[in-house]
Amino acid sequence: MKIIYQIIILACFSFLIACDGEKGEEPNPLFSETDLFPLSIGKTFNYWIKTYDPDGQESADRRFSQAISGDTLIAGEKWYKNEATNTFVSNKSDGLYYYYSFNAKETVIYKYPAAKGDVYNSFVYTYKPITGERFEEITGTKSVEVLSLNTSVVSPLSGTKYENCIHYMTAKFTLTNSGSLRIYPSEQYVIPGVGAVLIIDYYDESLTNKVSIREQLN
């Protein structure tokens, strides 16, 4: 089973967990970082990903890399190009954004700086290799919640413990033009100045059956 996300994401950049919704002070020492992701031409992000079928059996285990191959100005703003996709990425004053060149739309992926309890809307595009269509445009909103500003998490893949993570989670996705596409819940752990060190996608809202685990190795 192949599940491919355009996110920070990393996309598609998705999250579901109960929370009190109140904002609270939880300072992250790395909020002193100006940029959430270290973006520059030649920068390469190396990843390890495992995927699972609905019964919990491992279906894939692989390593891959994504490199920034260049940059460009769009409406006077600098965007960096991922060599393998039609997506550009940029650190803006309020967070990390994606720009989709195939339809000239942009969206916030990770709000930054953030406060615990922040909720904001984003959107996502998914790849459909079976039908041969490169992207399906979704009309709807993805509600993302900031669960914590200073979380520690241990990777189920390498056993590495990551400190000072901002913990994002997709709370809801509302579709208006597709009854068949499913957006999976996703927990995403991001270290300012480093990137999305761990992303865990799930099949259901109980967060028990994993679709995939992706770890940033550098």
Side-chain angles (χ1 to χ4, degrees), residues 2 4 34 41 80 92 117 126 134 139 145 161-162 177 190 203:
K2 295 182 179 179
I4 303 175
T34 302
I41 297 175
Y80 290 93
K92 294 193 177 188
T126 57
R134 178 59 181 166
T139 303
E145 185 167 5
K161 184 177 183 179
Y162 296 100
N177 72 332
V190 180
Y203 279 106

mmCIF file of all heavy atoms in Angstrom, residues 2 4 34 41 80 92 117 126 134 139 145 161-162 177 190 203:
data_model
loop_
_atom_site.group_PDB
_atom_site.id
_atom_site.type_symbol
_atom_site.label_atom_id
_atom_site.label_comp_id
_atom_site.label_asym_id
_atom_site.label_seq_id
_atom_site.Cartn_x
_atom_site.Cartn_y
_atom_site.Cartn_z
ATOM 1 N N LYS A 2 0.651 2.139 -0.916
ATOM 2 C CA LYS A 2 1.487 3.330 -1.019
ATOM 3 C C LYS A 2 0.709 4.544 -0.541
ATOM 4 O O LYS A 2 -0.374 4.824 -1.004
ATOM 5 C CB LYS A 2 1.939 3.544 -2.462
ATOM 6 C CG LYS A 2 2.851 2.446 -2.968
ATOM 7 C CD LYS A 2 3.304 2.760 -4.386
ATOM 8 C CE LYS A 2 4.252 1.683 -4.899
ATOM 9 N NZ LYS A 2 4.689 1.931 -6.277
ATOM 10 N N ILE A 4 1.521 8.544 0.037
ATOM 11 C CA ILE A 4 2.532 9.578 -0.161
ATOM 12 C C ILE A 4 1.956 10.909 0.260
ATOM 13 O O ILE A 4 0.863 11.263 -0.131
ATOM 14 C CB ILE A 4 2.968 9.620 -1.636
ATOM 15 C CG1 ILE A 4 3.494 8.241 -2.047
ATOM 16 C CG2 ILE A 4 4.026 10.694 -1.848
ATOM 17 C CD1 ILE A 4 3.835 8.158 -3.509
ATOM 18 N N THR A 34 15.403 32.098 14.192
ATOM 19 C CA THR A 34 14.614 32.941 13.291
ATOM 20 C C THR A 34 13.788 32.107 12.332
ATOM 21 O O THR A 34 12.610 32.393 12.084
ATOM 22 C CB THR A 34 15.532 33.873 12.490
ATOM 23 O OG1 THR A 34 16.290 34.665 13.397
ATOM 24 C CG2 THR A 34 14.723 34.778 11.580
ATOM 25 N N ILE A 41 20.135 26.686 -0.638
ATOM 26 C CA ILE A 41 20.415 25.874 -1.826
ATOM 27 C C ILE A 41 21.486 24.833 -1.484
ATOM 28 O O ILE A 41 22.517 25.158 -0.897
ATOM 29 C CB ILE A 41 20.877 26.751 -2.996
ATOM 30 C CG1 ILE A 41 19.759 27.715 -3.404
ATOM 31 C CG2 ILE A 41 21.272 25.892 -4.192
ATOM 32 C CD1 ILE A 41 20.164 28.702 -4.461
ATOM 33 N N TYR A 80 12.190 28.471 -1.833
ATOM 34 C CA TYR A 80 13.162 27.434 -2.153
ATOM 35 C C TYR A 80 12.461 26.242 -2.796
ATOM 36 O O TYR A 80 11.342 25.880 -2.429
ATOM 37 C CB TYR A 80 13.900 26.993 -0.888
ATOM 38 C CG TYR A 80 14.829 28.055 -0.355
ATOM 39 C CD1 TYR A 80 14.384 28.958 0.615
ATOM 40 C CD2 TYR A 80 16.129 28.186 -0.820
ATOM 41 C CE1 TYR A 80 15.218 29.955 1.102
ATOM 42 C CE2 TYR A 80 16.973 29.187 -0.343
ATOM 43 C CZ TYR A 80 16.511 30.055 0.616
ATOM 44 O OH TYR A 80 17.342 31.045 1.093
ATOM 45 N N LYS A 92 8.363 32.239 6.549
ATOM 46 C CA LYS A 92 7.820 33.592 6.639
ATOM 47 C C LYS A 92 7.787 34.020 8.106
ATOM 48 O O LYS A 92 8.123 33.253 9.008
ATOM 49 C CB LYS A 92 6.417 33.648 6.033
ATOM 50 C CG LYS A 92 6.391 33.388 4.529
ATOM 51 C CD LYS A 92 5.050 33.776 3.947
ATOM 52 C CE LYS A 92 5.026 33.607 2.435
ATOM 53 N NZ LYS A 92 3.792 34.169 1.831
ATOM 54 N N GLY A 117 -2.067 25.716 22.171
ATOM 55 C CA GLY A 117 -3.499 25.912 21.984
ATOM 56 C C GLY A 117 -3.862 26.636 20.714
ATOM 57 O O GLY A 117 -5.043 26.724 20.370
ATOM 58 N N THR A 126 -2.739 15.700 -2.597
ATOM 59 C CA THR A 126 -2.259 14.324 -2.522
ATOM 60 C C THR A 126 -1.995 13.756 -3.912
ATOM 61 O O THR A 126 -2.647 14.110 -4.889
ATOM 62 C CB THR A 126 -3.271 13.425 -1.792
ATOM 63 O OG1 THR A 126 -4.532 13.512 -2.469
ATOM 64 C CG2 THR A 126 -3.438 13.862 -0.358
ATOM 65 N N ARG A 134 -1.553 13.638 -11.242
ATOM 66 C CA ARG A 134 -0.455 14.089 -10.399
ATOM 67 C C ARG A 134 -0.962 14.610 -9.047
ATOM 68 O O ARG A 134 -0.437 14.272 -8.004
ATOM 69 C CB ARG A 134 0.347 15.185 -11.119
ATOM 70 C CG ARG A 134 1.495 15.756 -10.293
ATOM 71 C CD ARG A 134 2.493 14.683 -9.898
ATOM 72 N NE ARG A 134 3.566 15.252 -9.102
ATOM 73 C CZ ARG A 134 4.423 14.549 -8.393
ATOM 74 N NH1 ARG A 134 4.317 13.248 -8.353
ATOM 75 N NH2 ARG A 134 5.381 15.132 -7.716
ATOM 76 N N THR A 139 -10.970 21.019 -2.026
ATOM 77 C CA THR A 139 -11.599 22.229 -1.531
ATOM 78 C C THR A 139 -12.040 21.950 -0.103
ATOM 79 O O THR A 139 -12.944 21.170 0.133
ATOM 80 C CB THR A 139 -12.817 22.626 -2.382
ATOM 81 O OG1 THR A 139 -12.396 22.791 -3.734
ATOM 82 C CG2 THR A 139 -13.432 23.913 -1.873
ATOM 83 N N GLU A 145 -3.640 22.035 15.173
ATOM 84 C CA GLU A 145 -3.550 22.525 16.537
ATOM 85 C C GLU A 145 -2.133 22.380 17.067
ATOM 86 O O GLU A 145 -1.448 21.395 16.778
ATOM 87 C CB GLU A 145 -4.519 21.764 17.442
ATOM 88 C CG GLU A 145 -4.566 22.304 18.862
ATOM 89 C CD GLU A 145 -5.736 21.773 19.668
ATOM 90 O OE1 GLU A 145 -6.456 20.902 19.153
ATOM 91 O OE2 GLU A 145 -5.917 22.232 20.804
ATOM 92 N N LYS A 161 16.075 10.237 21.179
ATOM 93 C CA LYS A 161 15.195 11.134 21.913
ATOM 94 C C LYS A 161 15.393 12.553 21.410
ATOM 95 O O LYS A 161 16.519 13.054 21.386
ATOM 96 C CB LYS A 161 15.482 11.066 23.408
ATOM 97 C CG LYS A 161 14.518 11.907 24.251
ATOM 98 C CD LYS A 161 14.787 11.747 25.737
ATOM 99 C CE LYS A 161 13.782 12.521 26.568
ATOM 100 N NZ LYS A 161 14.032 12.359 28.022
ATOM 101 N N TYR A 162 14.304 13.194 21.021
ATOM 102 C CA TYR A 162 14.343 14.566 20.533
ATOM 103 C C TYR A 162 13.730 15.495 21.584
ATOM 104 O O TYR A 162 12.633 15.244 22.085
ATOM 105 C CB TYR A 162 13.581 14.687 19.214
ATOM 106 C CG TYR A 162 14.206 13.893 18.090
ATOM 107 C CD1 TYR A 162 13.701 12.650 17.726
ATOM 108 C CD2 TYR A 162 15.322 14.377 17.417
ATOM 109 C CE1 TYR A 162 14.285 11.909 16.693
ATOM 110 C CE2 TYR A 162 15.913 13.650 16.388
ATOM 111 C CZ TYR A 162 15.388 12.416 16.043
ATOM 112 O OH TYR A 162 15.983 11.685 15.027
ATOM 113 N N ASN A 177 -15.481 18.706 -1.856
ATOM 114 C CA ASN A 177 -15.577 18.289 -3.259
ATOM 115 C C ASN A 177 -15.083 16.864 -3.496
ATOM 116 O O ASN A 177 -14.854 16.472 -4.618
ATOM 117 C CB ASN A 177 -14.783 19.250 -4.158
ATOM 118 C CG ASN A 177 -13.270 19.083 -3.982
ATOM 119 O OD1 ASN A 177 -12.809 18.695 -2.918
ATOM 120 N ND2 ASN A 177 -12.521 19.350 -5.031
ATOM 121 N N VAL A 190 8.410 19.108 15.499
ATOM 122 C CA VAL A 190 9.303 19.999 14.756
ATOM 123 C C VAL A 190 10.225 20.719 15.731
ATOM 124 O O VAL A 190 9.765 21.281 16.732
ATOM 125 C CB VAL A 190 8.497 21.028 13.941
ATOM 126 C CG1 VAL A 190 9.431 21.954 13.179
ATOM 127 C CG2 VAL A 190 7.533 20.317 12.977
ATOM 128 N N TYR A 203 -4.248 5.533 11.065
ATOM 129 C CA TYR A 203 -5.427 5.167 10.296
ATOM 130 C C TYR A 203 -6.712 5.720 10.915
ATOM 131 O O TYR A 203 -7.713 5.870 10.223
ATOM 132 C CB TYR A 203 -5.554 3.642 10.205
ATOM 133 C CG TYR A 203 -4.690 3.008 9.148
ATOM 134 C CD1 TYR A 203 -3.546 2.296 9.488
ATOM 135 C CD2 TYR A 203 -5.012 3.105 7.793
ATOM 136 C CE1 TYR A 203 -2.748 1.700 8.514
ATOM 137 C CE2 TYR A 203 -4.229 2.519 6.815
ATOM 138 C CZ TYR A 203 -3.095 1.818 7.179
ATOM 139 O OH TYR A 203 -2.305 1.234 6.211
#
